[in-house]
Amino acid sequence: MGRNRPLSRGFYDRDTLAVAADLIGKVLVHRTKAGVVAGAIVETEAYIGESDPACHAAPGPTKRNAPLYGPPGVAYVYLNYGMHYLVNAVTEPEGSPAAVLIRALEPLEGEKLMRRRRARGSSRSADSFATHELCRGPGNLTRALGISLDDNKGDLTEGPLRIEDRQRPRREVAWSRRIGINVGVEAEWRVFAVGSPAVSGRIRIG
């Protein structure tokens, strides 16, 4: 079996919807002092440009959204509602603000560590989580993988937080409207692996 390869810069330097679809089945990996954790991506959402009201680039360049305007293949991590970190992969050429939000994973490595992290600060025990729950939803997956603002602007092609192509079987995918937002809800820019129990939210198609 060949070495696990991080995705190249060119993978991200493309149309955001194509990247969102092609990320399904790729593997998000985080190497930390506590250990290595990884999961297969099963749900993503695209956010594209200043004309997309749900995209952080909608108001134009700011200090917070600066990574969106930078080179593709960089992580854009932010704190959502003061509660959860969310991780995105920046796409398209530098200066064209766009990214793919990673919404859910199927755990592959480091499940015990994921369980400890999910249980920390909650009323649940580490053993109470079903495997598919651990990284179900964008806030849960960053908690399980130990992703924080320290990973913002990290290079996904070579850093400790990266996305790899492990030559996993291609998954059947479906598209739907994005969820968890109040504007830009008409765009069907959410893509997910059909049949995965780790996919978050209701399966709203059309």
Side-chain angles (χ1 to χ4, degrees):
M1 186 172 177
R3 176 176 174 270
N4 298 332
R5 296 186 298 110
L7 298 175
S8 69
R9 188 88 53 210
F11 176 93
Y12 302 98
D13 191 8
R14 300 183 295 143
D15 175 82
T16 304
L17 294 176
V19 176
D22 290 346
L23 280 173
I24 302 298
K26 301 300 189 290
V27 179
L28 181 64
V29 182
H30 197 200
R31 291 174 168 82
T32 68
K33 291 181 180 179
V36 179
V37 285
I41 299 170
V42 293
E43 182 184 6
T44 64
E45 283 179 337
Y47 291 86
I48 309 172
E50 295 175 355
S51 62
D52 176 3
C55 181
H56 282 187
T62 65
K63 183 177 180 180
R64 182 196 193 201
N65 69 23
L68 291 175
Y69 290 83
V74 167
Y76 174 43
V77 181
Y78 60 87
L79 186 62
N80 192 45
Y81 297 120
M83 296 173 56
H84 306 292
Y85 297 112
L86 304 189
V87 60
N88 302 255
V90 175
T91 57
E92 306 204 11
E94 189 165 355
S96 298
V100 174
L101 171 66
I102 301 173
R103 288 195 55 92
L105 311 173
E106 292 176 348
L108 296 175
E109 293 179 43
E111 186 172 323
K112 287 184 178 180
L113 179 55
M114 290 182 184
R115 289 178 178 279
R116 292 199 300 271
R117 285 171 169 161
R118 284 296 311 277
R120 195 177 300 149
S122 79
S123 59
R124 298 181 62 176
S125 68
D127 293 335
S128 71
F129 292 92
T131 298
H132 73 267
E133 286 184 282
L134 292 171
C135 301
R136 186 175 187 263
N140 290 333
L141 79 84
T142 56
R143 182 183 292 273
L145 268 65
I147 296 170
S148 71
L149 290 179
D150 292 339
D151 300 297
N152 189 37
K153 301 182 182 179
D155 191 341
L156 294 173
T157 70
E158 62 180 17
L161 179 64
R162 61 177 63 187
I163 303 177
E164 297 178 348
D165 183 356
R166 297 191 176 180
Q167 302 298 311
R168 296 177 61 79
R170 184 174 291 275
R171 308 285 291 263
E172 179 186 357
V173 301
W175 292 84
S176 79
R177 295 180 180 183
R178 296 176 294 189
I179 58 179
I181 56 176
N182 298 314
V183 294
V185 295
E186 300 83 7
E188 294 189 357
W189 289 354
R190 170 178 174 249
V191 60
F192 55 90
V194 174
S196 172
V199 170
S200 65
R202 293 189 298 115
I203 310 302
R204 285 185 359 201
I205 302 176

Short mmCIF file of all heavy atoms in Angstrom, two decimals, residues 3 10 26 28 31 34 36 63 69 82 90 94 100 103 128 182 186 194 196:
data_model
loop_
_atom_site.label_atom_id
_atom_site.label_comp_id
_atom_site.label_asym_id
_atom_site.label_seq_id
_atom_site.Cartn_x
_atom_site.Cartn_y
_atom_site.Cartn_z
N ARG A 3 2.21 5.24 0.18
CA ARG A 3 2.21 6.25 1.23
C ARG A 3 0.99 7.15 1.08
O ARG A 3 0.57 7.47 -0.02
CB ARG A 3 3.50 7.07 1.10
CG ARG A 3 3.64 8.24 2.06
CD ARG A 3 5.01 8.87 1.87
NE ARG A 3 5.14 10.08 2.67
CZ ARG A 3 4.80 11.29 2.25
NH1 ARG A 3 4.30 11.44 1.04
NH2 ARG A 3 4.96 12.34 3.02
N GLY A 10 -2.78 22.31 -6.16
CA GLY A 10 -3.61 22.36 -7.35
C GLY A 10 -4.99 21.77 -7.15
O GLY A 10 -5.95 22.17 -7.83
N LYS A 26 -11.98 11.80 0.97
CA LYS A 26 -10.61 12.14 1.36
C LYS A 26 -10.52 12.14 2.88
O LYS A 26 -11.54 12.11 3.58
CB LYS A 26 -10.21 13.50 0.79
CG LYS A 26 -10.29 13.59 -0.74
CD LYS A 26 -9.39 12.58 -1.42
CE LYS A 26 -9.31 12.81 -2.94
NZ LYS A 26 -10.56 12.48 -3.63
N LEU A 28 -9.22 13.73 6.50
CA LEU A 28 -8.72 14.85 7.29
C LEU A 28 -7.90 14.27 8.44
O LEU A 28 -8.39 13.42 9.19
CB LEU A 28 -9.88 15.69 7.82
CG LEU A 28 -9.51 16.92 8.67
CD1 LEU A 28 -8.74 17.94 7.84
CD2 LEU A 28 -10.76 17.55 9.26
N ARG A 31 -2.23 15.76 13.37
CA ARG A 31 -1.15 15.21 14.19
C ARG A 31 -0.88 16.17 15.35
O ARG A 31 -0.48 17.31 15.12
CB ARG A 31 0.10 15.01 13.34
CG ARG A 31 -0.05 13.90 12.32
CD ARG A 31 1.15 13.80 11.38
NE ARG A 31 1.10 12.56 10.60
CZ ARG A 31 0.38 12.40 9.51
NH1 ARG A 31 -0.35 13.41 9.05
NH2 ARG A 31 0.37 11.24 8.86
N ALA A 34 -0.90 14.83 21.57
CA ALA A 34 -1.69 13.79 22.21
C ALA A 34 -1.84 12.55 21.34
O ALA A 34 -2.19 11.48 21.84
CB ALA A 34 -3.07 14.33 22.57
N VAL A 36 -2.37 11.01 16.88
CA VAL A 36 -2.87 11.24 15.53
C VAL A 36 -4.34 10.84 15.46
O VAL A 36 -4.72 9.76 15.92
CB VAL A 36 -2.07 10.44 14.49
CG1 VAL A 36 -2.62 10.67 13.08
CG2 VAL A 36 -0.59 10.82 14.54
N LYS A 63 -9.85 41.45 8.76
CA LYS A 63 -8.78 40.71 9.40
C LYS A 63 -9.19 39.26 9.61
O LYS A 63 -8.38 38.33 9.42
CB LYS A 63 -8.44 41.35 10.75
CG LYS A 63 -7.28 40.69 11.47
CD LYS A 63 -6.94 41.42 12.76
CE LYS A 63 -5.78 40.75 13.48
NZ LYS A 63 -5.45 41.45 14.76
N TYR A 69 -8.91 35.06 1.19
CA TYR A 69 -8.33 35.79 0.05
C TYR A 69 -6.91 35.32 -0.26
O TYR A 69 -6.30 35.79 -1.22
CB TYR A 69 -8.32 37.29 0.35
CG TYR A 69 -9.70 37.92 0.37
CD1 TYR A 69 -10.49 37.88 1.51
CD2 TYR A 69 -10.21 38.55 -0.76
CE1 TYR A 69 -11.76 38.45 1.53
CE2 TYR A 69 -11.48 39.12 -0.75
CZ TYR A 69 -12.24 39.07 0.40
OH TYR A 69 -13.51 39.63 0.40
N GLY A 82 -19.17 31.89 19.28
CA GLY A 82 -18.43 31.85 20.54
C GLY A 82 -18.39 30.49 21.19
O GLY A 82 -18.03 30.37 22.36
N VAL A 90 -9.51 26.48 2.06
CA VAL A 90 -9.58 27.60 1.13
C VAL A 90 -9.38 27.08 -0.29
O VAL A 90 -8.51 26.24 -0.56
CB VAL A 90 -8.54 28.67 1.48
CG1 VAL A 90 -8.52 29.79 0.44
CG2 VAL A 90 -8.82 29.24 2.86
N GLU A 94 -5.65 32.72 -5.44
CA GLU A 94 -5.46 33.78 -4.46
C GLU A 94 -6.17 35.05 -4.92
O GLU A 94 -6.10 35.43 -6.09
CB GLU A 94 -3.97 34.05 -4.27
CG GLU A 94 -3.65 34.98 -3.13
CD GLU A 94 -2.18 34.96 -2.75
OE1 GLU A 94 -1.42 34.15 -3.31
OE2 GLU A 94 -1.81 35.76 -1.86
N VAL A 100 -14.34 25.57 1.41
CA VAL A 100 -15.23 24.44 1.65
C VAL A 100 -15.23 24.15 3.14
O VAL A 100 -14.17 23.88 3.73
CB VAL A 100 -14.79 23.20 0.86
CG1 VAL A 100 -15.64 22.00 1.25
CG2 VAL A 100 -14.89 23.45 -0.64
N ARG A 103 -17.98 19.36 7.23
CA ARG A 103 -19.08 19.22 8.18
C ARG A 103 -19.11 17.90 8.93
O ARG A 103 -19.68 17.83 10.02
CB ARG A 103 -20.42 19.40 7.45
CG ARG A 103 -20.74 20.83 7.01
CD ARG A 103 -22.23 20.94 6.65
NE ARG A 103 -23.05 20.50 7.76
CZ ARG A 103 -23.52 21.32 8.71
NH1 ARG A 103 -23.27 22.62 8.65
NH2 ARG A 103 -24.25 20.84 9.70
N SER A 128 -19.88 6.60 25.84
CA SER A 128 -21.30 6.73 25.50
C SER A 128 -21.54 7.15 24.05
O SER A 128 -22.66 7.07 23.56
CB SER A 128 -21.97 7.74 26.43
OG SER A 128 -21.55 9.07 26.14
N ASN A 182 -28.93 31.32 7.72
CA ASN A 182 -30.18 32.05 7.55
C ASN A 182 -30.24 32.83 6.24
O ASN A 182 -31.30 33.33 5.87
CB ASN A 182 -30.40 33.01 8.72
CG ASN A 182 -30.52 32.28 10.04
OD1 ASN A 182 -31.23 31.29 10.14
ND2 ASN A 182 -29.81 32.77 11.06
N GLU A 186 -30.82 29.24 -0.66
CA GLU A 186 -31.32 28.64 -1.90
C GLU A 186 -30.26 27.81 -2.60
O GLU A 186 -30.59 26.85 -3.33
CB GLU A 186 -31.82 29.73 -2.85
CG GLU A 186 -32.95 30.58 -2.30
CD GLU A 186 -32.45 31.71 -1.40
OE1 GLU A 186 -31.21 31.89 -1.32
OE2 GLU A 186 -33.29 32.37 -0.77
N VAL A 194 -23.92 9.50 0.45
CA VAL A 194 -25.22 8.87 0.64
C VAL A 194 -25.08 7.65 1.55
O VAL A 194 -24.18 6.82 1.36
CB VAL A 194 -25.81 8.44 -0.73
CG1 VAL A 194 -27.10 7.64 -0.54
CG2 VAL A 194 -26.07 9.67 -1.59
N SER A 196 -24.22 7.52 4.74
CA SER A 196 -23.31 7.60 5.89
C SER A 196 -24.06 8.06 7.13
O SER A 196 -24.70 9.12 7.11
CB SER A 196 -22.17 8.57 5.61
OG SER A 196 -21.40 8.77 6.80
#
